Amino acid sequence: MPADLPLRSLLLALLCIALLSAPRSTVACNADDRAALLRIKSQLGDPVQLSSWLPSIANCCAWDPPAAVFCSSSGRVTGLALSSLAGLRAPVPPALGELTALVILQVQSVRGLSGPIPPSLANLTRLENLNIAGTSISGPVPGFLSASLRTLVIADGKLAGPIPQSLTSLPDLRYLDLSGNMLTGSIPGGLLHGSFRFLILANNRLKGEIPSDCGDADVDTIDLSRNGLSGDPSPFLFGTAKRVAKVDLSWNELEFDMTEVRFPHHLRFLDLSHNRINGSVAKSLRDVRLEHFDVSDNGLCGEIPKGRFMSAHGAECYQRNRCLCGAPLPPCTATVAIDHVP
């Protein structure tokens, strides 16, 4: 399953708005772009969903959905959206690299699309949004992508190998989602730039420590769940001055003392479950209005803090820790109190 379906749905909605703002049928499409689209159709095995892509229809800007072609006022193809191409069995079309004016490329729910991303996509020097999800694309994360990229999503596929260091040199990249693959190695520092950053690398096989720049003030969302990450990210990731809204670090091997951690007041989603976190539940959480909270399956001990927003969290948020007690769990005993004395 995708690591962050609500965020991805929002992203797709924004991309669709951007695409729909471009004129479609009022201009004649560029002849080279039209020829490239016909080659793409052929390389995909002529799927029935692209039956409106015909040589006899000269204006590719007016070709009918479900595949969507969007053109600029000069007739260049600037947006292409392919989705739900059932029955397709084909590699990623190299002819995509011939659409040199593309700004947005979106491929969704095409499980029959396989193989690596072809080097021809390096020709898409104007590409700002590459969104591929729900395919069988394999091979490494491409290190030859456009320096103009703002959004890079290659999720819910079969990518393998490390995250390439070359991604850190994309100066405008602020949204990175490589979740649901088989990526290995460590997370490079400096992957994201600009404001309102999203780092979504859930459901991979990543190891090592979390880079300290994940705690930068411009980070909105961090989802690194279901990997094998270790270390203590609390000194740079948390703090009352941080503005991060979502942190999901569940199902890793993180180890730190939560007792004195100061959690950001802007935080709305916090999942630290299935780690090796010890100490007691931080009292700073009383002042954080969390819509989702889970610290289950750790080594926490002692009385759960009372008051303010703590009453919103049920017993399931604290299950399978070492010796937590107090509402919503059973009351503390003298033995637990003594055991928890520093």
Side-chain angles (χ1 to χ4, degrees):
M1 292 295 292
D4 203 321
L5 186 57
L7 279 176
R8 192 174 298 159
S9 299
L10 173 61
L11 174 66
L12 296 184
L14 292 174
L15 291 179
C16 289
I17 290 171
L19 287 170
L20 290 170
S21 65
R24 294 193 61 206
S25 58
T26 58
V27 294
C29 73
N30 176 275
D32 290 338
D33 288 350
R34 177 173 168 274
L37 288 169
L38 292 172
R39 279 191 285 274
I40 291 168
K41 177 186 176 184
S42 176
Q43 291 170 3
L44 288 173
D46 295 315
V48 65
Q49 294 88 349
L50 304 184
S51 59
S52 70
W53 292 22
L54 296 172
S56 59
I57 302 177
N59 188 5
C60 68
C61 300
W63 285 346
D64 294 330
V69 178
F70 299 89
C71 299
S72 68
S73 58
S74 64
R76 295 302 309 273
V77 174
T78 56
L80 178 61
L82 303 172
S83 63
S84 303
L85 302 182
L88 181 147
R89 293 290 183 273
V92 182
L96 284 169
E98 300 174 27
L99 296 173
T100 55
L102 270 186
V103 176
I104 298 175
L105 175 57
Q106 178 178 311
V107 181
Q108 297 290 315
S109 303
V110 186
R111 280 295 176 195
L113 194 67
S114 61
I117 293 178
S120 61
L121 263 65
N123 298 326
L124 305 182
T125 57
R126 303 181 187 179
L127 196 65
E128 295 181 4
N129 296 280
L130 177 59
N131 191 311
I132 301 174
T135 71
S136 297
I137 287 177
S138 59
V141 177
F144 48 76
L145 297 173
S146 166
S148 300
L149 273 180
R150 299 174 182 270
T151 298
L152 174 57
V153 178
I154 311 177
D156 193 18
K158 298 180 179 180
L159 294 178
I163 299 172
Q165 189 70 29
S166 58
L167 291 187
T168 66
S169 64
L170 303 180
D172 298 316
L173 187 64
R174 67 170 187 84
Y175 192 114
L176 179 62
D177 182 353
L178 301 175
S179 60
N181 285 289
M182 299 177 287
L183 300 178
T184 55
S186 59
I187 302 172
L191 280 172
L192 301 181
H193 309 278
S195 59
F196 203 53
R197 305 178 197 173
F198 294 76
L199 181 62
I200 305 170
L201 302 174
N203 290 282
N204 279 289
R205 301 170 184 176
L206 299 168
K207 300 285 187 180
E209 297 189 357
I210 298 171
S212 60
D213 63 295
C214 285
D216 288 354
D218 291 316
V219 175
D220 178 274
T221 295
I222 301 170
D223 187 350
L224 308 177
S225 59
R226 295 185 180 272
N227 281 286
L229 300 170
S230 57
D232 177 6
S234 61
F236 56 83
L237 197 57
F238 303 122
T240 55
K242 303 293 184 181
R243 300 186 65 85
V244 62
K246 173 175 180 176
V247 175
D248 191 345
L249 304 178
S250 60
W251 293 90
N252 279 289
E253 299 172 12
L254 302 173
E255 187 170 357
F256 60 91
D257 188 327
M258 186 195 281
T259 308
E260 300 298 329
V261 173
R262 305 287 293 177
F263 287 95
H265 294 162
H266 290 85
L267 199 60
R268 293 296 174 263
F269 185 112
L270 178 64
D271 197 331
L272 299 174
S273 64
H274 296 87
N275 277 286
R276 300 172 182 175
I277 300 169
N278 51 54
S280 59
V281 177
K283 293 181 180 179
S284 65
L285 287 167
R286 293 184 297 195
D287 299 319
V288 183
R289 189 194 295 269
L290 290 169
E291 298 167 4
H292 174 91
F293 174 63
D294 193 346
V295 292
S296 60
D297 294 272
N298 279 290
L300 297 168
C301 192
E303 186 173 11
I304 296 170
K306 301 182 180 69
R308 291 184 62 75
F309 300 123
M310 298 304 292
S311 60
H313 311 316
E316 69 279 1
C317 303
Y318 304 102
Q319 296 297 321
R320 295 174 297 281
N321 274 281
R322 186 163 67 89
C323 51
L324 284 179
C325 57
L329 299 180
C332 294
T333 64
T335 302
V336 171
I338 294 172
D339 182 60
H340 188 59
V341 173

